[in-house]
Every structure is written in C-alpha cells, then in structure tokens.
Amino acid sequence: MVSAGDPSVADDPLEAAFADSVRRTGASLGALFLLEADRRLLRLQLLSGAPAEFAAPWSQVPLTAPAPVADAVREERLVWVSSHEQMAHAYPRTAMALPYPLAMVAAPVIGVRPHGAMLLIWPAGRPPYMTARERGNIESSCRRLARLLEESAEAGVSTVSADGPRVVRLGTGRPSVSQELAAADLVERLPGGSCSVDLEGRITYVSSGACELLGRPADQLLGTLPWQSLRWLDEPTYEDRYRAAVISREPVVFSACRPPDLWLDFHLYPDTSGISVRIVRTGSDPPPVPAFPGSPRSAAPTRAGQLYQLVHLAAALTEVVGVQDVIDLVADQVMPAFGAQGLVLSMAEAGRLRITGHRGYPAEVVDRLDHLPLDTAFTPAGRALGSGIPAFFSDPAEMRRISPEAPLASGKQAWAFLPLIVSGRPVGICVLSYDTPHVFSAADRAVLTSLAGLIAQALDRARLYDTKHDLAHNLQQALLPRALPAVTGLQTAARYLPATRGMDIGGDFYDFIPLGTAGAAAVIGDVQGHNAAAAALMGQVRTAVHAHVALGAAPDQVLSRTNRLLTDLGPDLFTSCLYAHVDTLRGHVTFASAGHPPPVLRGPDGAALPLDVPPGPLLGIDPDAAFPLTEVPFVPGAVLAFYTDGLIEEPGADLDDSIARLARRLAHIGDGPPDALIDDLLRTAGPGGQRTDDIAVLLLRRAVPG
C-alpha cells in the first residue's frame, strides 16, 4: 500500500477564519467572493471542498448578475436556496453550472462597507430550512471575515487577487502523515476499499490490487488526476461522476472499460475529507458507454468543466443588453476562462473594422488597429472574417507567416481570431491574445468556435438594442423640458432616468410653468407602458396641461379638461398626474391629483412626511371625473418632492411603506441645494443600478429671504 500525506490548513488569518466558518456550518463546499476596487465585480478568492477548476464558471460574478452571491451583496441580505428546484426557478444560470441536488446560502460580508459574500453549499440531505441559530452563526462568521479584511486594508495589504482562487483545505481533524494512517482513513470510509482520492481529484492512496486492475504502478498514480494518468478515463462522463460525488456528497457508481476489454466498476464514497473508491471487475455484460474518439495518442476530449463553462457563458450571453455588456462579459468571463491576457472586439462597419472594446492593449496599439480595412494584410482579422473560419496562432513565428508586422505591433505571443457571423452575415471579430506562446488544443478550438457563434448572436442583438436605446432616449429628451425656468422665491431641480431594461422609453414626465406674480405650476405624471405609444401620449398630456395652465384654469379644472381630452382620444393607456399651484405670495400650495403618489414635504426643521392629497381617478377613464383640491402651507426653507412610482416601488413591498421610506430618506440627506438632494435620492434607486421602471423627480424649495 502507498499513500500521500494530507496537507494542513494554511496559517493565513483570513483563510483560517474562512475554513473555521465552513467547518462549523457543516457545509460541504465554501467560497469567499470579494468586491474588486471598482465595486462592479465579485471575484472568487477562497474555495474549500472542491478543485479550483470546478469554480471556473463562477470565478467572476458581475455585481448586477442574477446570482445568489450578487444578490446577497447588492441587497445586503442573506440569500437561502433550499433545493435545486428552487435554484432552477430563482437562479437558472447558477442551476446550469451546478446541476446537482444541493442547498445553498449566500451571506454578505459587511463591515464599515460591503466587502463581498460567503457562499456555503450542503448536500441535498440537510433540512430544507435554516434555523435562527444557523443564521446567527453565519452572520457572525461574515462579520469576523469583514473585520479581518478591514484590518488587512488598514495595513495596506490587498486581499483581492486576479490569480484565481486559493483552495483552502479544511483537514479531517486527524493527522495523516503516514502510510498506516492514510490506510486507516480509507478503512473508516469503506471496508476493503482500494484507493483514496482527495477533493481536488488527486490520488492519495492506492492498494496493490488497484494498481493491478488499473494497469499502472503506484508511483505513476499517486498525486495524479485519474483522467490524466489513465487516458481511458479521460471522458467527460467519468469526470462528471466524480464531480457529482464531490458536490452532492452522495455515493456514485459508474463503469469503464480498460482497453482492450477489461470492464471495471468504480464505487465512489465521498465525505468531507475525500473520496474512497472501490474498484471491482464488472460481473455482467458491458454497459453502454460513449465511444472513445481516436487512439490514446489523439487529442484529449473536452473536459466536463469546459462543457459546464460553455453552458454557463451561453446563459450569461443571453442576458446581456447593450454592446458594452457584451464587451464586459467577454473581458470578465471569457478571457479568464481561456487564460487570455488581451482582447479586441471589432465591429464590421462600412468596409472597416471598428474597435468597440478592448482589454490588455496600450492606447497606441488600439489606435493602430482601429478602423483597418476588411481586406487588410496587417492582421489576419479581415481574412478570418471574410472566410468565416477561425484562425489560431500559437506563437509569433506562425503569425509572421501570414502577417509579418502584427507581432511587432501588439507585442503579443499567441492569438485566436474568432469571426462573428450571424446567418451568414459578418458582424465583427473577437481576438483573444496571450502574453506568452499558447498551444490551442482541439478542445479549446472547438469550444472557442462554438462560443464565437454565441458572442455573434449576443453582439448583433446588443447593437440593435443600443440603436433603439439611442432613439428612445432622444425622443424622451425631446418631449421633456430642456431647462426649468427661474421663478422668484423658488429653487428647483428635476431629473429623468430611463429604465435599464427593455426599450428604455416610458411615459414619465414633469413640467414647471411660471405664472407671473402668482407663482408657478408644478406637474408630474406617469403614462402607463414603456413604448413609443406611451411616450407619444405623454407628449399629448404635457401639451394639454401646459395649454390649460396658460389659460389660467384652476388645478382641478386643468386635470378635468385634460381628462376629457384623453377620454375623447381613447388611447387605451391611463395616466396618473399630480398638479400643484405654488402661490409664492401667500405661501401656499394647492394640489389636485389623478391617481398619482402623494408629494413629500420636508419642513425647515428637517422633518419630512407624505402629504394627504385625496386623489381622483386616473386620466382617461371617466370623462366626468372630479379631482379634489388640497391646500397646504409652503413656508420658507421647506422642500416639496414630486416623483413617479419608479423611485419608490420595490417587488413585494407595500406602497405606503415605500413612500414612508422615501420621506425618511429626504429627512436624512442633509440640507443642500435641490440638485444635490435629487442626486442623493437617486443614488439608492434600483438595486445594483438596475431599474425596471423609469423615474421622474421634481424638487421645489421655498427660498429663505436673505
């Protein structure tokens, strides 16, 4: 019998605290994600219970991604997923990367500021709920990790590394430094077992009987990965069985044929320290297994991890919105997945290649490569795009045979030119490059070629989206006031933010109209829907209100006349509207509301509360509707906040509670000018910067006499 030693847990305080957190919760896998400096990306730093390659699909998680760790950090809450079924419903992309029965929790690591999240995974056998004690222990562990991170920051030590996650081994609680103790571990897990594999997949113990069955001496097996030292096990199916045992912590059985005709059964029995493997001759007819492509000397089949990664990246590409999102995803996930250090993403426009995104290149190189003609001989990009065939160059010598100047211009040492083709139409080209020579295996070429098709589809959709976005933005801006007019005794500010999903065009609007010495009229409204029809109706409503105000109509009459116009038009879209007549001479404001959220008034003392403004019905429903008037004092130093529901609405939250939270925010953001107050209010609009609805805000401050 031969065995290898069991490495101990590292002495680094952060690693030790992380290992202790995972061990105390009984989790089978643990991961610590930390925010990068720009606070847009979570990077996996520490991992336990699985090899680093298992975590490749989620080694980098954008903060805006629909993933448990991103939600935990963005919303500063513990995210509990009790089963794979719940995972598939709530987080389908994560479920594809982890297709196993499991339970999971993502907990934010927060100190004086958010630092990241800790992810814990259990096998499916644990109860489908979390006790208050468990929750408290996890939250306490996260606070401890946050303190260590902040102490490191104060000492000037960076804790976020781009070198990939460090694997932290929790240990078994039993020293394993000799052949006898390793064998004892094996016997405890499985009587008569034949070999032991650690959680990274490396063989740590092998019996003489196993050596005979596997056809290799012990010194050629110990410390190796089975699918590397035994080429006949180099199939994604077999690695996936091992992966299932590691993640599910449940026994797994599979059969494999050792060439030419010896069939073996592999029984895998996992626990927290490793996997005991019993290998026996198959006693029945050979089961159907995938055919082995080629001879043992042929290129290795694609690893199961690469397949999961491709599925994960494909799911991510379906969720990108604009061209910049595609660039960020390729840079943040595709580049690290294939070990690239450089990226150039170019679009084919007017016979030239226009660079739309890049990473790892100095500005002067980008300028030299930008706007090259499609038939350029300077790089192989145009030739690859014209033929639709990817081109791979493992070193500068290969590149010089095609494009002698290219290696000198970029300084890179290996390249993959991936043409982006949609329905036979060239969209652009994606170039991955390397700082050192890089051999592209058949598996790498196959995966990159498949990925290029997905990137092309995503880029084509994103370009169309950006075009629509620009059109919608320009239309929206044309329908809103270019600037707010000055009115004596009032300070004003307004903002409009489009939704970050969909066509980015909505029906929210505001207006501010001087009324001579009588003060001013403030208007805010929201047309149902997010499309061109909503924007067009918004323009009609704003024009109608403006016209009736100019004729001197009272607030209730302004809404009544606008309402009759809309019911005559019959647009099938309804509109909420809040109209306010600000009388700066008497110091009063008279309101009329058509189903709009109430304004919030902050007094000179800083106290803020929603006003009780009884609303009439939405505009466009009842031609004879009445709109009650409400009059409130408006003293010097007071601030009135008008807003649309995009500022306050949250999924599952009560509307009154949301309005009350807005009042509290307005009370606590200081006493700056209206522009600064609006910036503070909008800073918390939409988790992670994501807005499912557009937002309009109008603030009025009654000036204090100087």
Side-chain angles (χ1 to χ4, degrees), residues 534-555:
L537 182 60
M538 178 267 280
Q540 291 175 310
V541 173
R542 180 170 170 252
T543 300
V545 169
H546 210 110
H548 296 311
V549 170
L551 294 174

Side-chain angles (χ1 to χ4, degrees), residues 26 99 198 212 222 307 350 370 415 429 448 463 498 539 596 598 657 695:
D198 67 18
E212 181 180 351
L222 279 175
L307 295 177
D370 198 11
W415 301 262
I429 191 159
L448 284 170
R463 184 162 58 174
H596 199 82
D657 292 341
I695 298 172

Side-chain angles (χ1 to χ4, degrees), residues 490-492 512 522 582 634 638-640 642 698-702:
L490 292 176
Q491 298 172 339
T492 61
F512 184 69
V582 183
F634 191 35
V639 176
L640 261 176
F642 303 80
L698 174 64
L699 289 191
L700 308 181
R701 180 200 291 277
R702 178 85 187 276

Side-chain angles (χ1 to χ4, degrees), residues 359-403:
R359 296 287 192 281
Y361 285 87
E364 58 271 16
V365 174
V366 174
D367 291 341
R368 177 69 181 87
L369 298 175
D370 198 11
H371 286 89
L372 290 173
L374 289 178
D375 59 355
T376 179
F378 185 74
T379 78
R383 178 181 299 182
L385 185 58
S387 67
I389 301 174
F392 300 91
F393 302 90
S394 299
D395 55 52
E398 288 187 21
M399 173 69 82
R400 278 194 291 270
R401 287 197 289 269
I402 303 296
S403 302

